[in-house]
Amino acid sequence: MKIIFKFLFKLHYFQILFLLFLPGTKCIANHYNGSDLTYKHLGNGLYEIKYMWYTNCTSFIPAIQIDLLLNSVSCDTSLIYTLNRFPGASENFSYTCPAIVFPCTNIETGFGEAWSFYDTIQIPAACNDWIFSVADCCRSDEISTLVDPGQEGFYNHAFLNNSISENSSVSFKIAPAMFLTIGQSNHYNPGAFDEDCDSLVYQFVTPYGAWWDSVEYQPGYSKEQFIQSSPPVTLDVNSGEMSYTPIQHDIGLVAYSVREFRNGIFIGEAMRECVVYCINSSDSFPLLSGIDQTASYSDTFCVGRNSCFSIFSSDADPSDSVSISWDNGIPDGTFSSTSTMRPQAQFCWSPDPSDTTCSHHFTVLVKDNICPSSMYQVYSYAINVQVCIGTDEIQNPNGLSLFPNPASQHCQVEVKDNKQFISSIKIFDLQGRLIQEIAQEHLKSNQCSIPLSALSAGCYLLKCICNKEVYTSQFLKE
């Protein structure tokens, strides 16, 4: 259902939200433990909206509908839609052993429940500041890191700039980490996946009670340090990997967003927040190695070559069995694992030239079989895709400037270090075949102009050999 505000006077955004809190508003009370709000572009201005609502193990059933506000200041538009709860029971987003019956009624078992709300809406115009938002009352009094948490509402939002092109937000492949273990290093990643291959930036954000009212943290806590941790909480802004080692019984509130940039333009954002419980456990976390048992969690793959690496699991508790699964974050890749107490996984992928345009990540969840709730961690692995010459050389454009790009008749090559002298320039296609070698008379000091009229339209790799370094870079011939 949609309501379009066409009053004789303009009803502003804060007034709409105020109305949402009037008596009679659908309220899901302090069973709320977190949420995320995402959207998917279906074509022709049509969007699927998904709101995930998380709670602890209380057997609480939320309302069947939740209001979604869509607002743009630049387009002077405010609309309300109704999100409908997905039919059926809630989902168990905890990692429990098979002997446990779900749903449950006791939070101490380490359960979390998730409820899904959906709607498909038509966005009426191209605007650079669409805000989707959901707000309600109230937060739980048990949150120990906030000032008067029971007096706060909760508010989640997503951002869309469709003035340049349509966009889908990220989707979160990994459920929130609601339970953290005191005295152990915890690793977590939400597994944000972007189908548009935009550049992603993760950041901690301040949770809000309403769009105009941020929550207040107790002294010693903040949006970045939402629990007492030693060493402090960290977040990798590129991969989304979070690390923390709780040192006391906190019940904290964490919120983070994933921003999307397309050609340097801020085009979308999705947010998740969650209450976290710091608890004691005599069990140890299972662990995952870096790539091929190294300490590195990133690798470089070459276009057109099938490359693989292995991931190894471990657990300090000898009687625990461990399992490994991934989030399919690189859909064209393959992921397999052995069926042993300490499984080993292998990831393989043969990227194509289009995969060079963005970074690639996938997450791996490792969990043990302890009852009632498994100990688990989530690790992120990053793959950079580049065009390779021969067998070992990988492009490295950091010290090379090539312009214009795309180019038609000529392009200018300049080595940024003016102490370098160009001795040879070769052009290859994406299969590594030598297409053109620049004659010596075209070369001059650390820069030169390259004629391209003999090349067919397409993507090429340029190899610039200097007196001290070798540089490679891609360019497009129009």
Side-chain angles (χ1 to χ4, degrees):
M1 181 186 71
K2 177 176 69 174
I3 302 174
I4 305 180
F5 296 95
K6 297 291 186 179
F7 297 137
L8 294 177
F9 60 93
K10 174 56 61 178
L11 187 61
H12 290 289
Y13 183 54
F14 70 91
Q15 294 171 307
I16 296 170
L17 280 175
F18 175 78
L19 290 175
L20 291 177
F21 285 100
L22 289 177
T25 298
K26 296 182 286 291
C27 185
I28 43 185
N30 60 8
H31 299 281
Y32 171 87
N33 269 59
S35 64
D36 50 66
L37 182 61
T38 58
Y39 56 86
K40 179 179 176 63
H41 176 233
L42 303 178
N44 299 319
L46 199 63
Y47 282 77
E48 179 186 78
I49 310 299
K50 181 179 181 182
Y51 179 66
M52 294 297 296
W53 188 82
Y54 304 103
T55 182
N56 54 34
C57 194
T58 59
S59 290
F60 175 75
I61 299 178
I64 62 172
Q65 295 179 329
I66 293 178
D67 289 329
L68 172 82
L69 177 65
L70 176 65
N71 181 78
S72 168
V73 174
S74 66
C75 289
D76 198 25
T77 302
S78 296
L79 309 111
I80 289 181
Y81 298 86
T82 298
L83 303 181
N84 296 296
R85 195 181 76 216
F86 190 79
S90 61
E91 302 172 33
N92 174 13
F93 72 87
S94 309
Y95 299 98
T96 54
C97 64
I100 298 299
V101 177
F102 185 82
C104 64
T105 57
N106 182 6
I107 189 173
E108 296 302 324
T109 60
F111 274 106
E113 296 177 86
W115 299 86
S116 304
F117 295 81
Y118 292 88
D119 195 15
T120 299
I121 68 174
Q122 184 76 43
I123 293 186
C127 309
N128 63 7
D129 60 348
W130 287 114
I131 298 290
F132 309 83
S133 61
V134 173
D136 214 319
C137 174
C138 300
R139 294 190 184 276
S140 172
D141 282 318
E142 67 181 354
I143 302 174
S144 62
T145 60
L146 299 183
V147 176
D148 295 328
Q151 303 303 310
E152 296 282 358
F154 56 87
Y155 169 85
N156 201 324
H157 74 277
F159 169 84
L160 168 66
N161 172 6
N162 68 337
S163 64
I164 299 173
S165 62
E166 301 290 358
N167 177 59
S168 294
S169 74
V170 300
S171 57
F172 295 104
K173 299 292 187 179
I174 302 295
M178 186 177 289
F179 297 93
L180 314 180
T181 303
I182 297 171
Q184 295 193 48
S185 177
N186 295 240
H187 294 269
Y188 173 73
N189 191 296
F193 174 75
D194 181 54
E195 65 180 34
D196 302 314
C197 209
D198 296 318
S199 297
L200 304 182
V201 176
Y202 295 77
Q203 61 180 0
F204 287 127
V205 295
T206 301
Y208 277 73
W211 77 274
W212 66 88
D213 179 32
S214 61
V215 302
E216 181 182 356
Y217 280 94
Q218 295 280 5
Y221 297 90
S222 66
K223 64 181 181 181
E224 294 89 3
Q225 303 301 318
F226 50 89
I227 59 170
Q228 292 295 312
S229 173
S230 181
V233 176
T234 61
L235 169 66
D236 188 314
V237 298
N238 297 310
S239 72
E241 182 115 350
M242 304 178 201
S243 298
Y244 25 69
T245 304
I247 60 174
Q248 65 184 37
H249 287 279
D250 282 328
I251 301 179
L253 178 63
V254 57
Y256 46 89
S257 74
V258 186
R259 290 190 160 200
E260 302 167 84
F261 293 85
R262 188 173 300 169
N263 299 321
I265 299 174
F266 179 34
I267 197 168
E269 181 178 29
M271 172 187 164
R272 171 185 276 176
E273 65 169 44
C274 185
V275 175
V276 293
Y277 298 83
C278 298
I279 60 175
N280 284 316
S281 176
S282 59
D283 195 48
S284 299
F285 274 118
L287 306 174
L288 289 179
S289 72
I291 291 168
D292 292 329
Q293 287 191 311
T294 68
S296 174
Y297 291 81
S298 63
D299 201 355
T300 298
F301 282 15
C302 294
V303 168
R305 299 179 190 170
N306 189 49
S307 301
C308 302
F309 60 75
S310 296
I311 301 169
F312 296 82
S313 66
S314 61
D315 194 313
D317 302 309
S319 62
D320 289 353
S321 293
V322 172
S323 61
I324 298 175
S325 61
W326 79 316
D327 66 348
N328 200 38
I330 302 179
D332 293 332
T334 61
F335 186 90
S336 59
S337 61
T338 59
S339 299
T340 58
M341 288 188 67
R342 301 291 181 269
Q344 173 184 336
Q346 184 180 64
F347 171 77
C348 294
W349 185 33
S350 179
D352 60 42
S354 64
D355 294 315
T356 62
T357 59
C358 62
S359 59
H360 304 271
H361 297 82
F362 66 89
T363 59
V364 181
L365 184 144
V366 55
K367 69 183 183 73
D368 62 21
N369 62 339
I370 186 176
C371 281
S373 184
S374 299
M375 299 285 284
Y376 73 93
Q377 302 204 83
V378 183
Y379 292 79
S380 176
Y381 295 83
I383 309 294
N384 181 39
V385 177
Q386 296 184 345
V387 177
C388 304
I389 302 175
T391 58
D392 299 314
E393 187 175 350
I394 297 172
Q395 76 175 44
N396 180 9
N398 295 331
L400 188 71
S401 175
L402 190 154
F403 58 92
N405 190 6
S408 56
Q409 298 300 314
H410 291 82
C411 70
Q412 184 76 14
V413 174
E414 181 178 347
V415 178
K416 295 178 182 179
D417 182 357
N418 58 18
K419 296 181 181 179
Q420 296 275 2
F421 296 94
I422 300 173
S423 60
S424 174
I425 290 181
K426 298 179 181 180
I427 296 176
F428 299 81
D429 65 15
L430 294 185
Q431 284 70 48
R433 295 185 295 253
L434 179 63
I435 302 300
Q436 181 177 336
E437 185 168 4
I438 309 303
Q440 187 69 33
E441 59 265 23
H442 291 289
L443 305 179
K444 182 181 178 181
S445 65
N446 66 323
Q447 55 184 294
C448 69
S449 178
I450 302 174
L452 302 177
S453 57
L455 298 182
S456 301
C459 189
Y460 293 90
L461 184 75
L462 181 140
K463 180 178 182 180
C464 179
I465 302 173
C466 299
N467 54 318
K468 294 182 180 180
E469 300 287 346
V470 176
Y471 303 95
T472 61
S473 182
Q474 282 183 273
F475 70 92
L476 183 65
K477 166 64 171 22
E478 295 181 322

